């Protein structure tokens, strides 16, 4: 699976959650959760755009080789884009997480496939035939580069949300 980004200072978030729970500010907690989710939405959107527009190339068919239509009904890139999710937790291990929901993917797409695609290389059985393998190439880093580009903005947004909530509690 492609690597995650982590916002440092989750101890502050845990401390703030405990204060919110003690103070009984349920609407403030819901607002904080909504604002953190809103901070992560552009990342999800950019990841979906990045995978949908990812150029995947192959060497093509050799002379005299047969081919045919894809055995799947939905393309790989669209499957992955539709499976990108956001979850926000304010208890336990708090924070926002952008991830690929494996249960929303067809059975042939595994974490290994996703990691290799992020590395820029996709090796797969040709039309499901496990005795013949093909390789396709893509620009490396569709997941990691997008995460790194958004990390400073998300960190600033979460810090701003935490400061606003902390100010409201004091």
């Amino acid at each position: 699976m492609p690597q995650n980004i982590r916002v440092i200072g989750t101890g502050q978030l845990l401390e703030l959650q405990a204060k919110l729970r003690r103070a009984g500010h349920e609407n403030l907690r819901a607002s904080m959760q909504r604002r953190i989710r809103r901070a992560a939405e552009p990342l999800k959107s950019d990841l979906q755009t990045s995978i949908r527009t990812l150029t995947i190339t192959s060497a093509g068919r050799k002379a005299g080789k047969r081919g045919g239509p894809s055995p799947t009904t939905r393309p790989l890139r669209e499957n992955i884009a539709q499976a990108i999710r956001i979850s926000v937790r304010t208890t336990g291990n708090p924070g926002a997480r952008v991830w690929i929901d494996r249960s929303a993917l067809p059975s042939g797409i595994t974490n290994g496939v996703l990691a290799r695609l992020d590395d820029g290389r996709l090796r797969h059985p040709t039309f499901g035939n496990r005795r013949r393998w093909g390789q396709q190439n893509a620009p490396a880093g569709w997941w990691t580069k997008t995460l790194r580009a958004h990390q400073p903005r998300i960190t600033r947004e979460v810090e701003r949300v935490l400061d606003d909530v902390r100010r409201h509690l004091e």
Side-chain angles (χ1 to χ4, degrees), residues 66-85:
R66 295 178 296 186
S70 173
T72 61
T73 56
R74 286 175 51 201
L76 171 72
R77 290 172 288 207
E78 187 59 30
N79 280 326
I80 295 171
Q82 292 296 322
I84 295 175
R85 306 274 193 265

Side-chain angles (χ1 to χ4, degrees), residues 8 11 30 47 60 62 64 66 89 91 93 110 114 116-117 150 161 167 169:
I8 306 299
L47 283 169
K62 307 287 189 272
R66 295 178 296 186
R89 292 182 50 165
T91 59
N93 187 12
T110 63
L114 298 172
R116 285 190 301 273
L117 185 58
H150 281 268
V161 169
R167 243 182 274 117
L169 285 175

Side-chain angles (χ1 to χ4, degrees), residues 1 37 40-41 43-45 47-48 74 78-88 96-105 143:
M1 181 67 156
R37 175 178 289 280
E41 284 289 340
L43 172 60
K44 176 186 174 186
S45 176
L47 283 169
Q48 288 176 326
R74 286 175 51 201
E78 187 59 30
N79 280 326
I80 295 171
Q82 292 296 322
I84 295 175
R85 306 274 193 265
I86 295 177
S87 63
V88 177
R97 187 179 114 169
V98 178
W99 53 288
I100 297 175
D101 183 7
R102 286 231 12 237
S103 66
L105 293 173
W143 179 270

Side-chain angles (χ1 to χ4, degrees), residues 53-69:
T53 59
L54 188 68
T55 305
I56 300 176
T57 59
S58 67
R61 293 191 190 121
K62 307 287 189 272
K65 298 290 181 182
R66 295 178 296 186

Side-chain angles (χ1 to χ4, degrees), residues 22-36:
R22 283 192 303 268
H25 291 288
E26 199 58 42
N27 60 345
L28 188 58
R29 194 163 74 184
S31 172
M32 182 176 80
Q33 191 170 1
R34 186 175 54 252
R35 288 176 66 189
I36 291 173

